[in-house]
């Protein structure tokens, strides 16, 4: 395991579209979706759309078949597999839903690369209808963040991840995202971390308003090819830095332990 945690947004970051719109459009429910959109929050609308699909006889298998055809850039899967093989801890934070994300990642053969998927719950009920719930139950209590939609504050999820990770490990984060919902988490990282906003997407526009608000180093990307290149460069950079720290702390250890060497009959230099 390296000390690198990579947090991915899902829609328009791992995949190259919004999974919600993809399912609605491919199954021919765009007009109903657009008609209802002004009347309810996005997350509640998706649950309503799943009810509509079910009442029109559209099966879970039909939804899965549509998800299996999701657009994705060909360099995304190699990038994720490489990061995982290098020992990075990969996580998803997404305002899509668990059923769509699990179905897609399993189909692409990369589900096991991720330690955690933080998203809106989505499950098939006993009647074979997909139910989508909000990540935060905003009817009970507001999460209180003015930057985020009522059902999910990605910043709070990052706080939780940072708090559950031991400070001793000195983890370094890389966060990748495209949407307005990725701005709040981008503000949570420290100067040794990295934020990778998708260029000319909402998170990029928000960051550009005042880049000094983001403490982490900013590295933009435009498509899957550039995402892979930038991500590999950052992993490499962190690993070299951590290696250098390890070697210098090793030297310090030897300096500190000089008295021990002095007790040896013949002090020998460990490092030439
Ligand atoms: C103007 C406007 N109205 C509603 C939405 C809501 N929305 C669209 S796609 C999506 C899923 C994002 O998943 P991920 O977090 O994986 O990118 C959500 C929550 C929006 N983005 N813009
Ligand atoms: Mg997104």
């Amino acid at each position: 395991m390296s000390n690198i945690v990579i947090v991915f947004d899902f829609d328009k970051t791992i995949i190259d579209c919004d999974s919600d719109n993809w399912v609605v459009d491919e199954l021919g429910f765009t007009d109903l979706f657009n008609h209802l959109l002004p009347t309810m929050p996005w997350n509640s609308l998706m649950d309503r759309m799943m009810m509509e699909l079910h009442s029109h006889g559209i099966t879970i298998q039909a939804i899965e078949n549509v998800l299996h055809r999701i657009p994705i850039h060909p360099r995304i899967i190699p990038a994720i597999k490489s990061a995982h093989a290098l020992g990075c801890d990969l996580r998803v934070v997404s305002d899509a839903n668990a059923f769509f994300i699990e179905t897609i990642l399993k189909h692409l053969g990369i589900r096991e690369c991720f330690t955690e998927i933080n998203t809106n719950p989505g499950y098939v009920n006993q009647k074979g209808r997909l139910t989508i719930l909000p990540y935060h139950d905003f009817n009970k209590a507001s999460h209180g963040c003015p930057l985020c939609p009522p059902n999910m504050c990605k910043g709070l999820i990052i706080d939780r991840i940072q708090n559950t990770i031991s400070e001793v490990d000195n983890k370094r984060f890389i966060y990748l995202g495209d949407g307005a919902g990725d701005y709040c988490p981008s503000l949570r990282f420290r100067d040794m971390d990295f934020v990778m906003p998708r260029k000319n997407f909402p998170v990029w526009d928000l960051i550009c308003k005042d880049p000094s608000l983001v403490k982490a180093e900013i590295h933009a990307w435009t498509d899957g090819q550039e995402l892979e290149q930038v991500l590999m460069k950052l992993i490499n950079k962190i690993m070299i830095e951590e290696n250098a720290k390890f070697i210098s702390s090793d030297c310090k250890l030897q300096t500190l332990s000089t008295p021990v060497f002095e007790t040896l009959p013949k002090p020998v230099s460990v490092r030439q």
Side-chain angles (χ1 to χ4, degrees), residues 10-272:
F10 190 72
D11 289 344
K12 294 190 179 167
T13 298
I14 290 182
I15 59 167
D16 220 356
C17 66
D18 274 327
S19 51
D20 291 350
N21 296 94
W22 175 259
V23 168
V24 168
D25 294 348
E26 290 295 305
L27 293 169
F29 282 72
T30 312
D31 289 346
L32 180 59
F33 182 87
N34 289 339
H35 176 70
L36 294 172
L37 186 55
T39 69
M40 59 180 93
W42 186 281
N43 184 247
S44 318
L45 175 55
M46 278 315 292
D47 184 53
R48 167 73 185 268
M49 293 310 298
M50 294 306 116
M51 188 195 87
E52 296 287 345
L53 298 184
H54 184 254
S55 67
H56 283 81
I58 291 171
T59 61
I60 293 299
Q61 186 61 57
I63 297 172
E64 283 173 344
N65 291 346
V66 163
L67 289 169
H68 292 171
R69 296 192 279 105
I70 205 95
I72 179 164
H73 187 284
R75 295 315 303 169
I76 295 289
I77 297 171
I80 287 170
K81 285 186 174 170
S82 303
H84 178 65
L86 288 166
C88 301
D89 175 352
L90 274 48
R91 298 171 188 236
V92 173
V93 175
S94 166
D95 199 3
N97 69 77
F99 183 82
F100 288 4
I101 297 174
E102 295 274 1
T103 303
I104 293 168
L105 293 181
K106 276 181 201 149
H107 181 70
L108 297 173
I110 50 173
R111 172 62 188 91
E112 299 312 317
C113 293
F114 296 91
T115 52
E116 187 182 76
I117 296 170
N118 301 276
T119 187
N120 302 298
Y123 64 91
V124 181
N125 74 8
Q126 286 165 329
K127 292 178 180 161
R129 141 158 153 61
L130 184 56
T131 300
I132 296 169
L133 297 168
Y135 182 82
H136 296 294
D137 185 354
F138 49 85
N139 290 315
K140 268 194 195 148
S142 161
H143 57 60
C145 171
L147 296 173
C148 294
N151 64 299
M152 173 173 284
C153 170
K154 291 190 182 186
L156 284 177
I157 298 173
I158 295 302
D159 285 349
R160 205 257 313 138
I161 295 174
Q162 284 173 329
N163 290 336
T164 53
I165 283 170
S166 156
E167 267 178 41
V168 184
D169 295 341
N170 202 21
K171 294 281 184 190
R172 295 184 63 183
F173 285 83
I174 305 175
Y175 185 90
L176 302 92
D178 72 289
D182 299 307
Y183 183 61
C184 174
S186 299
L187 300 172
R188 309 275 168 145
F189 298 103
R190 303 174 297 174
D191 59 0
M192 72 259 277
D193 299 323
F194 301 87
V195 169
M196 287 180 56
R198 192 165 187 179
K199 199 169 183 177
N200 297 325
F201 279 66
V203 71
W204 169 257
D205 297 337
L206 288 165
I207 289 173
C208 286
K209 283 187 185 168
D210 186 356
S212 72
L213 295 177
V214 177
K215 294 184 233 41
E217 248 182 68
I218 303 164
H219 292 263
W221 56 282
T222 50
D223 61 9
Q225 187 182 347
E226 206 179 357
L227 180 152
E228 182 187 34
Q229 287 165 352
V230 174
L231 186 62
M232 289 305 125
K233 214 175 64 188
L234 293 182
I235 293 172
N236 196 39
K237 177 182 153 91
I238 298 172
M239 284 183 166
I240 289 170
E241 282 176 16
E242 294 303 313
N243 219 7
K245 267 192 227 163
F246 178 75
I247 290 166
S248 74
S249 70
D250 198 30
C251 288
K252 260 186 237 142
L253 213 69
Q254 287 176 16
T255 319
L256 288 172
S257 57
T258 306
V260 180
F261 285 112
E262 280 171 357
T263 64
L264 292 171
K266 266 191 199 170
V268 283
S269 166
V270 177
R271 239 168 243 285
Q272 299 299 323

